[in-house]
Amino acid sequence: MSARTKIIKPAGVQPDELELQLAQNIFDLEHNVAELKSDLRGLQFTSAKEIDIGHGRKAIIIFVPVPLLKSFHKVQTRLVRELEKKFSDRHVLLVAQRRILRRPSHKSRVQQKRPRSRTLTSVHEQLLEDMVYPTEIVGKRTKVKVDGSKTIKVFLDRKDHTSLEYKLDTFTSAYKKLTGKDVVFEFPVASSQE
């Protein structure tokens, strides 16, 4: 077995250097870390993209097939920690590779109704949840300015404040790159009565 088996690509498409390097690291983790061996055995990813998040820093977004997402979630915290050690000064994000189907027009001959999970709104919502996975989204607000621009304010669970604080800028710029939407991640302020 080789590291190449960790990448799922359509026939004829070759993986790039980053994807091969990522596959090799996951393959090495599978064979060298005993407690991760069984969890990483069947896991594969479809692609990886490196994005610039500003201030000279970069992030790696790993796209995984939707059916394997639950399996990735079991080992996500450990896997991300190990990969961030290997790719120093780069944050690693795991998101599902979802498909958006266009809205059927009156000219298109569609035999069946478009599933709700394939709509643009649904895919963007799921992407947001995938991106912040170990924590949960506890609230969302959409702020519309006078000029018509929208900003989404996302409130994350307060208990993960210490472990995710350094990644909030990465989440913001990665979501902006993938969807084109402005988003601000915050932790809700604890009320003074508690």
Side-chain angles (χ1 to χ4, degrees):
M1 284 195 48
S2 70
R4 178 69 177 85
T5 59
K6 291 288 173 196
I7 308 171
I8 303 172
K9 288 281 185 186
V13 179
Q14 292 299 317
D16 63 7
E17 186 63 37
L18 176 70
E19 290 168 349
L20 289 171
Q21 196 176 0
L22 206 56
Q24 186 61 49
N25 285 331
I26 294 173
F27 186 74
D28 292 343
L29 280 174
E30 180 184 333
H31 289 286
N32 297 336
V33 183
E35 59 263 20
L36 286 177
K37 187 170 185 135
S38 63
D39 292 328
L40 289 177
R41 179 167 288 134
L43 298 185
Q44 297 173 310
F45 63 94
T46 54
S47 66
K49 185 190 276 189
E50 188 173 54
I51 61 163
D52 186 39
I53 56 172
H55 309 295
R57 294 187 326 227
K58 294 186 180 296
I60 298 172
I61 302 174
I62 303 171
F63 294 95
V64 301
V66 179
L68 293 177
L69 187 64
K70 261 200 172 31
S71 305
F72 266 103
H73 282 335
K74 290 178 187 171
V75 291
Q76 181 167 347
T77 49
R78 178 83 190 270
L79 181 64
V80 166
R81 193 174 339 119
E82 294 293 333
L83 289 174
E84 283 179 350
K85 282 183 204 170
K86 301 263 194 231
F87 297 101
S88 59
D89 74 299
R90 286 187 269 189
H91 294 157
V92 177
L93 303 173
L94 282 169
V95 296
Q97 179 77 53
R98 291 191 169 84
R99 173 172 284 133
I100 299 172
L101 293 179
R102 71 180 331 147
R103 192 179 207 162
S105 65
H106 65 284
K107 289 185 178 180
S108 63
R109 296 180 179 215
V110 180
Q111 299 298 320
Q112 60 188 18
K113 196 169 165 38
R114 173 177 66 157
R116 189 74 75 212
S117 64
R118 303 284 194 286
T119 63
L120 179 99
T121 308
S122 174
V123 169
H124 286 184
E125 296 281 323
Q126 293 298 321
L127 182 67
L128 204 56
E129 287 176 20
D130 289 350
M131 215 173 270
V132 299
Y133 168 67
T135 187
E136 290 180 4
I137 296 173
V138 293
K140 263 188 240 168
R141 303 285 182 272
T142 303
K143 189 176 182 180
V144 182
K145 295 182 182 166
V146 179
D147 63 352
S149 63
K150 291 182 181 180
T151 304
I152 304 167
K153 205 179 250 191
V154 177
F155 298 104
L156 302 175
D157 201 349
R158 187 89 188 144
K159 68 178 171 52
D160 298 314
H161 174 69
T162 54
S163 61
L164 281 180
E165 184 72 46
Y166 71 100
K167 269 190 170 181
L168 295 182
D169 294 337
T170 305
F171 293 155
T172 301
S173 55
Y175 193 74
K176 173 77 174 169
K177 283 267 195 307
L178 292 174
T179 64
K181 293 181 178 176
D182 291 317
V183 67
V184 177
F185 292 92
E186 292 180 4
F187 293 99
V189 181
S191 64
S192 58
Q193 295 172 341
E194 292 180 344

